[in-house]
Amino acid sequence: MQHDLFTMVLEFFKRGYLPKGINTSYIALIPKVTGISSFNDYRPISLLNGLYKIIAKILATRLKAVMQSVVSPSQSAFIAGRNILDSVLIANEMLNSVKSRSCQGFLKLDFRKAFDTVSWSYLNDVMGYMNFGARWRKWIMACVSSTGLSVLINGSPTSEFTSSCGLRQGDPLSPFLFCLAAEGISVLISRSLKMGALYGVESAGTTYIHHLQFADDTLIFLPNDLQCLLNTKRMLRWFSYAQGLMLTSIRVVWWVWGWMRYMLKGFLVFSGVDVILSQSNTWGFL
């Protein structure tokens, strides 16, 4: 058995191909809240084939070693050598800084089914942009695109079906691949900053911070500039179309009153996106 297992793994890395059945997984629906009323209240977790999981773990270990060099410092989740609590502390300091200045605030972005809607072609293009080799990209695409799925209902699997996008929750590769996909918004923001289309918020005298990312959660800090806000709306629309992620809500926290708050909401309206205006003095809504 040891020889057969070694041969199977070696054959994958030679050919970049997974035989039918190796990448089949069962989807278990885990309740997210009490009082389930719809499928949106469940979290789908994939139960993977043991043979596939060996290959995925090998690839994830290799990818983990280079994540810090290919992902921007604004991302802190799933990156070796970075602590997500550091970003929480920075965000807290930024909150205090923004509150002390009039007409400044930030946006909190929520994406619909973030892991389930990532475009595979977009992910492949991002890895190419990051100079991952063609063989590596072939291995990753074989892992994410050859999936066969069955949903467990009362312990029994349904008929097998395939998917055309998304990353499986429970796959060792998924957290790292999602971070690569989410890097697109950091690249857009960096280029917008260089072009003068966006501006950061000053913190600690000379340091300007524009955004922080926590896997599928993003905070964008903005100054008192409506044109900057409009450019942010355009940037988010481009990112959603390219990656396949769709915004479900934008939490707008702005320390202004009256008609200005509703003007901000008008500038940020997306089709099908819930724009929420808030003046909370705490992080409770996060």
Side-chain angles (χ1 to χ4, degrees), residues 19-265:
K20 183 175 177 61
I22 294 293
N23 201 8
T24 298
S25 60
Y26 294 142
I27 298 178
L29 301 178
I30 309 299
K32 295 188 290 186
V33 297
T34 57
I36 302 299
S37 60
S38 70
F39 279 110
N40 291 331
D41 296 328
Y42 289 95
R43 176 177 289 107
I45 302 297
S46 297
L47 307 178
L48 306 176
N49 186 304
L51 297 177
Y52 166 78
K53 203 164 186 178
I54 293 174
I55 294 174
K57 190 65 175 179
I58 293 172
L59 292 173
T61 301
R62 294 185 180 183
L63 186 56
K64 181 180 179 180
V66 301
M67 285 295 292
Q68 191 167 8
S69 61
V70 298
V71 170
S72 63
S74 63
Q75 291 203 57
S76 56
F78 309 119
I79 311 298
R82 301 181 189 176
N83 192 333
I84 194 171
L85 292 179
D86 293 340
S87 293
V88 173
L89 293 175
I90 293 173
N92 190 57
E93 290 297 322
M94 288 299 301
L95 174 62
N96 293 330
S97 177
V98 166
K99 285 168 58 180
S100 65
R101 299 177 174 89
S102 61
C103 298
Q104 290 187 342
F106 64 86
L107 313 180
K108 180 181 180 292
L109 310 182
D110 291 323
F111 291 98
R112 178 187 300 125
K113 303 293 184 182
F115 275 72
D116 300 332
T117 55
V118 173
S119 168
W120 294 339
S121 60
Y122 168 81
L123 178 61
N124 190 38
D125 291 341
V126 167
M127 290 191 294
Y129 175 82
M130 294 177 174
N131 295 322
F132 284 97
R135 178 176 293 184
W136 173 268
R137 299 201 306 273
K138 184 178 181 180
W139 293 339
I140 296 298
M141 288 298 105
C143 289
V144 300
S145 63
S146 64
T147 57
L149 305 171
S150 297
V151 180
L152 291 177
I153 299 178
N154 295 328
S156 299
T158 63
S159 300
E160 186 174 309
F161 59 94
T162 59
S163 60
S164 59
C165 63
L167 302 171
R168 291 174 294 180
Q169 298 187 53
D171 190 328
L173 281 169
S174 294
F176 304 111
L177 296 180
F178 187 85
C179 285
L180 295 182
E183 183 63 15
I185 196 168
S186 288
V187 173
L188 279 175
I189 289 175
S190 297
R191 292 189 176 181
S192 299
L193 291 171
K194 291 180 181 179
M195 294 169 56
L198 298 180
Y199 306 95
V201 173
E202 183 180 359
S203 176
T206 58
T207 302
Y208 284 83
I209 296 178
H210 191 276
H211 69 291
L212 295 171
Q213 291 176 275
F214 312 84
D216 57 342
D217 292 321
T218 302
L219 296 178
I220 299 180
F221 299 93
L222 295 172
N224 178 24
D225 190 321
L226 291 180
Q227 184 61 44
C228 181
L229 194 64
L230 180 59
N231 292 336
T232 301
K233 169 187 172 180
R234 292 168 176 165
M235 179 198 67
L236 293 176
R237 190 184 298 275
W238 294 337
F239 177 72
S240 296
Y241 288 156
Q243 185 175 355
L245 293 178
M246 299 303 296
L247 283 166
T248 54
S249 69
I250 303 177
R251 175 77 67 170
V252 184
V253 181
W254 217 271
W255 274 266
V256 294
W257 294 92
W259 62 270
M260 177 67 80
R261 299 178 68 236
Y262 296 95
M263 181 179 290
L264 293 174
K265 184 171 182 177

